[in-house]
C-alpha cells in the first residue's frame, strides 16, 4: 500500500452540484444537525398531523428528535433511554394506533454496551415503553406490520439470527415467530409490509438465493407462508432493499433492490401474479413516495419513477441536495422530501413544485469539457452544445456565460491558456479545421484561423515552450502536431513537420529533468512502424525515448505527476483496457479496465485516477493500481476531467462536479 493511502485512508466523492438540475426551494428547514443527518422517518401523531423523527450522524448519533415538517421547529425533548448513550440509530419504524397516538421503534447499535437493541417510545410523552427488544443488524430488517384486528406488530430479524420474530407494539411482548426462510435460501436481508387487493396486510421478506432472490409473503397473525416469488437475477448482486407500491386498482407491486458493491438495480414484481413488471432501474435509495392524488411513485437515486410504466417522470431536485433520506406525506397537502444540504441543515421540499433551471434544457455536454482558471481566481468549466460553449462556475454550478462559435461548424476540441498580458483565452478547434480563441472575461473573439488551412482538429492541450510562453499543441486529422499561439491561433513553431497517425489525444508530461514533454497517441516510431504512445520534445519536435508499446487504438491519456518528480501516464485503449506507465523508466506500473478517466489531486498525497466503470466512478491509487473508493452515477458517463481535488463528470444529459474527501 502506498504511503499516501496509509496517511489518508479511503477516499469518497461527494456531490457539489449537477446540471441540468432543478431548483429546490425548501418549504421548511430543520437546523441543529451538527454532525449531519442520520436516519429519518415520518410519524403520524393524530389530529391530522405528522412529525419527522430524525437522528444525528455525529456527536448525537444516538439521539432521536421529533420535528414539525411545516414549521421546522423541534417538538418535545430528545428520545434517549434514561438520558444515556443508546448507540448509533440504524433504523426506525412508526406504529400508529386507532386512537391517534403512535409508538416509535428505534433500532440502535451499541458495541460497548447492549449490542443491537430496539426501543419503543410513546411519541406523545417521549417515554420509553417496556424493555429493549433484540435488535436487527441492518436497517432493512425492521418493519411495522398492521393486523386486521387493529394491532401493530413489529417484525425484527435479530442480529446474527436468520429468523423473523413479530412483537406486539402495545405490550412489547412476542406475538409470532420464528418465521424461517425456505430451504436453500438465506436469512432475510430486507422486509416490508404489503397490502393485498382483498385488504389483508402481509409481511414480505427478501432472501438471497442461488439463482438471485426469493420473496416470501407471510401472514403476520398465524406466521404461515402464503406465497413465494422467485426473482432470478444473480448477475445484479444480492437483495438489499424491499418496498411495497400500492396500485390504483387495489393491487400491489414489490420493488426489490439488488446491491453489487458499486451499484444498485431495482426490479418490480406484481404480487397477485408473481410476474415481473417493466425493466430494471439503476440507482440507490429505494423509497415509495405516496402522492396527494393517491398514486405512489418510487424515489430511486436522483429520480422519481412511475412504477406502472417504469419511466422516470421527474427529478428529486438534487441541486445542492445530495439525496432524499425521508418521504413526508402531509395529511392535507403535498408529499415532501427531506434531505441534508452541504451546510448541515435539513431541507424539506415538494418535488412537484421544483422549479426547472433557467438555463437551456440541455447543458450540451458531449465529450468536451475544459476546466479554466480565470484571473479573478475562479475556475470555470467550458462545455459545448453543438456550436455554443457554455461556461459554468466550478464552485456553485451557476452559468457564467456562453460563447457563440458559429452556426454550422461543429466543435471538436477545446482548451484554455493564459496570455502574457494576464488574460485567459479559450481556444476552440472545429471539424472544418478552423480555430478560434475567446476572451473569457468578455466572451468576445480574440483571434482565429479560417477553415481550409488544416484538416479537422481532433485534440489540443496547452504546453510551456522553452522561452516561457504557453503555446497550444493541436493534433489534426492529417496527423500533424503543431504548436500555435493561443491568442492568434497561428503557427508559433514548425518543429513538428512530419505526419504521424492522427493523434486522438495529447497530454503534457512533466519529467524529472524539468522538461515538459508531449504525449501523443497513434504515433509511429518510424514510417511503417506499429501504433504506440510516444513522448515528444516540444522544443525540438523529436521523439524522446522508446515508445509505450502494446496499444492498439488509444482514446485517452492522463498524466499524473508525483511528488518525487516522476510522472505516471495512464493510457486507455478503445477496448477500455488501461495501462499505467512510469514515463521515466518506461516500466509498466499496473493494468485495469474502465471507460473515461481523469487524474484528481487530493490535498496532500499523490494523484488518484478516477475511472468510469459499470455505472460508477472508481478511484484508484495509480502507484499500486489499488481500488480506494467509488461513487454511483445514475446516467451513462461520457467523460471525466480533473480540476484539483474536484472531478468534473460529463453524462449524456448533463454535467456535474464531485469533490474528493477523506
Amino acid at each position: 500500500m502506498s504511503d499516501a493511502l496509509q496517511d489518508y485512508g479511503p477516499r469518497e466523492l461527494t456531490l457539489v452540484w449537477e446540471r441540468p438540475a432543478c431548483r429546490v426551494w425548501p418549504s421548511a428547514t430543520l437546523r441543529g444537525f451538527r454532525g449531519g443527518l442520520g436516519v429519518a422517518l415520518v410519524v403520524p401523531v393524530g389530529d391530522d398531523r405528522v412529525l419527522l423523527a430524525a437522528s444525528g450522524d455525529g456527536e448525537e448519533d444516538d439521539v432521536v428528535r421529533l420535528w414539525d415538517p411545516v414549521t421546522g421547529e423541534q417538538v418535545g425533548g430528545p428520545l434517549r433511554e434514561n438520558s444515556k448513550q443508546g448507540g448509533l440509530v440504524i433504523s426506525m419504524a412508526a406504529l400508529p394506533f386507532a386512537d391517534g397516538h403512535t409508538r416509535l421503534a428505534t433500532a440502535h447499535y451499541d458495541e460497548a454496551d447492549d449490542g443491537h437493541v430496539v426501543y419503543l417510545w410513546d411519541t406523545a410523552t417521549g417515554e420509553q415503553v417496556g424493555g429493549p427488544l433484540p435488535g436487527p443488524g441492518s436497517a432493512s430488517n425492521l418493519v411495522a406490520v398492521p393486523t386486521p384486528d387493529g394491532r401493530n406488530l413489529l417484525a425484527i430479524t435479530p442480529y446474527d439470527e436468520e429468523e423473523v420474530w413479530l412483537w406486539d407494539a402495545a405490550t412489547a411482548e412476542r406475538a409470532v415467530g420464528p418465521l424461517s426462510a425456505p430451504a436453500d435460501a438465506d436469512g432475510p436481508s430486507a422486509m416490508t409490509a404489503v397490502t393485498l387487493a382483498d385488504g389483508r396486510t402481509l409481511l414480505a421478506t427478501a432472501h438471497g438465493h442461488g439463482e438471485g432472490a426469493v420473496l416470501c409473503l407471510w401472514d403476520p397473525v398465524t406466521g404461515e407462508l402464503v406465497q413465494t416469488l422467485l426473482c432470478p437475477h444473480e448477475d445484479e448482486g444480492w437483495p438489499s432493499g424491499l418496498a411495497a407500491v400500492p396500485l390504483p386498482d387495489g393491487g400491489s407491486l414489490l420493488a426489490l433492490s439488488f446491491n453489487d458493491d458499486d451499484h444498485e438495480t431495482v426490479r418490480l414484481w406484481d404480487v397477485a401474479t408473481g410476474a415481473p413488471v417493466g425493466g430494471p432501474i439503476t440507482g440507490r435509495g429505494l423509497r415509495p413516495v405516496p402522492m396527494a392524488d393517491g398514486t405512489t411513485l418510487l424515489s430511486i437515486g436522483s429520480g422519481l419513477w412511475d412504477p406502472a410504466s417504469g419511466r422516470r417522470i421527474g427529478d428529486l431536485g438534487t441541486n445542492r441536495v445530495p439525496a432524499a433520506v425521508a418521504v413526508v406525506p402531509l395529511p392535507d397537502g403535498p408529499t415532501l422530501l427531506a434531505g441534508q444540504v452541504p451546510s448541515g441543515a435539513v431541507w424539506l421540499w415538494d418535488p412537484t413544485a421544483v422549479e426547472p433551471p433557467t438555463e437551456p434544457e440541455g447543458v450540451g455536454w458531449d465529450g468536451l469539457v475544459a476546466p479554466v482558471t480565470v484571473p479573478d481566481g475562479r475556475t470555470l468549466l467550458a462545455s459545448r452544445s453543438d456550436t455554443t460553449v457554455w461556461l459554468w462556475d466550478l464552485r456553485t454550478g451557476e452559468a457564467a456565460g456562453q460563447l457563440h462559435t458559429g452556426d454550422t461548424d461543429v466543435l471538436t476540441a477545446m482548451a484554455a491558456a493564459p496570455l502574457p498580458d494576464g488574460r485567459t483565452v479559450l481556444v476552440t478547434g472545429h471539424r472544418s479545421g478552423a480555430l478560434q480563441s475567446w476572451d473569457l472575461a468578455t466572451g468576445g473573439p480574440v483571434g482565429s484561423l479560417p477553415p481550409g488551412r488544416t484538416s479537422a482538429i481532433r485534440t489540443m492541450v496547452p504546453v510551456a515552450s522553452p522561452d516561457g510562453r504557453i503555446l497550444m499543441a493541436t493534433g489534426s486529422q492529417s496527423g500533424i502536431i503543431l504548436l500555435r499561439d493561443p491568442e492568434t491561433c497561428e503557427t508559433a513553431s514548425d518543429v513538428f513537420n512530419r505526419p504521424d497517425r492522427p493523434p486522438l489525444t495529447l497530454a503534457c508530461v512533466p519529467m524529472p529533468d524539468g522538461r515538459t514533454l508531449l504525449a501523443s497517441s497513434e504515433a509511429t516510431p518510424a514510417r511503417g512502424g506499429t501504433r504506440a504512445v510516444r513522448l515528444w520534445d516540444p522544443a525540438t519536435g523529436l521523439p524522446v525515448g522508446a515508445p509505450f508499446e502494446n496499444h492498439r487504438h488509444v482514446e485517452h491519456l492522463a498524466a499524473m505527476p508525483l511528488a518525487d518528480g516522476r510522472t505516471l501516464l495512464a493510457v486507455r485503449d478503445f477496448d477500455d483496457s488501461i495501462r499505467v506507465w512510469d514515463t521515466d523508466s518506461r516500466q509498466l506500473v499496473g493494468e485495469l479496465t474502465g471507460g473515461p478517466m481523469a487524474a484528481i489531486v487530493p490535498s496532500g498525497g499523490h494523484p488518484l485516477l478516477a475511472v468510469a466503470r459499470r455505472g460508477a466512478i472508481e478511484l484508484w491509487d495509480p502507484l499500486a493500481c489499488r481500488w480506494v473508493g467509488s461513487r454511483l452515477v445514475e446516467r451513462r458517463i461520457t467523460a471525466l476531467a480533473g480540476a484539483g481535488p474536484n472531478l468534473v463528470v460529463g453524462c449524456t444529459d448533463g454535467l456535474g462536479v464531485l469533490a474528493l474527501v477523506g
Side-chain angles (χ1 to χ4, degrees), residues 73-326:
E73 299 296 327
Q74 184 178 334
V75 178
L79 307 182
R80 174 187 280 176
E81 184 199 21
N82 299 324
S83 300
K84 78 175 186 68
Q85 288 287 115
L88 173 70
V89 178
I90 61 173
S91 183
M92 292 190 284
L95 302 115
F97 288 80
D99 60 3
H101 78 280
T102 297
R103 287 193 175 163
L104 177 67
T106 61
H108 302 251
Y109 169 58
D110 186 355
E111 182 177 8
D113 193 359
D114 299 321
H116 295 79
V117 296
V118 171
Y119 297 117
L120 289 171
W121 307 89
D122 187 315
T123 56
T125 65
E127 298 294 328
Q128 183 183 336
V129 180
L133 308 178
S138 67
S140 298
N141 284 333
L142 178 75
V143 65
V145 185
T147 64
D149 58 6
R151 291 183 300 157
N152 273 287
L153 302 183
L154 186 64
I156 305 174
T157 302
Y159 178 68
D160 275 347
E161 294 188 24
E162 295 192 352
E163 291 86 15
V164 181
W165 294 88
L166 290 102
W167 300 76
D168 191 314
T171 63
E173 298 292 333
R174 184 175 292 176
V176 178
L179 310 183
S180 300
D184 301 325
D186 295 330
S189 54
M191 303 188 294
T192 192
V194 57
T195 301
L196 305 184
D198 60 10
R200 289 183 299 160
T201 297
L202 303 182
L203 172 66
T205 59
H207 306 258
H209 189 271
E211 299 179 4
V214 171
L215 295 179
C216 297
L217 300 179
W218 308 83
D219 186 319
V221 177
T222 64
E224 295 180 355
L225 181 60
V226 176
Q227 186 179 357
T228 301
L229 304 177
L230 183 62
C231 311
H233 292 284
E234 60 178 339
D235 59 330
E236 294 176 350
W238 220 239
S240 58
L242 188 62
V245 184
L247 299 176
D249 62 3
S252 292
L253 302 179
L254 280 174
L256 175 63
S257 63
F258 295 86
N259 187 294
D260 189 19
D261 293 333
D262 58 358
H263 71 283
E264 287 188 9
T265 303
V266 177
R267 290 186 176 272
L268 299 169
W269 277 267
D270 188 307
V271 175
T273 66
V277 177
I281 302 171
T282 300
R284 296 185 185 274
L286 168 65
R287 290 181 180 83
V289 183
M291 305 301 288
D293 62 2
T295 61
T296 298
L297 304 179
L298 285 176
S299 162
I300 301 175
S302 64
L304 283 174
W305 301 79
D306 178 3
S309 65
R311 295 181 56 193
R312 179 171 177 152
I313 62 172
D315 294 321
L316 299 183
T318 55
N319 180 45
R320 308 285 288 172
V321 182
V325 299

Side-chain angles (χ1 to χ4, degrees), residues 33 65 67 133 157 181 333 377 404 412:
F33 295 87
R65 302 178 189 274
W67 302 82
L133 308 178
T157 302
H404 297 286
T412 52

Side-chain angles (χ1 to χ4, degrees), residues 53 63 69 79 117 119 135 149 188 210 289 302 411 446 452 480 490 493 517 656:
V63 176
L79 307 182
V117 296
Y119 297 117
D149 58 6
V289 183
S302 64
L411 275 72
V446 176
I480 296 178
E490 296 288 346
S493 172
L517 305 182

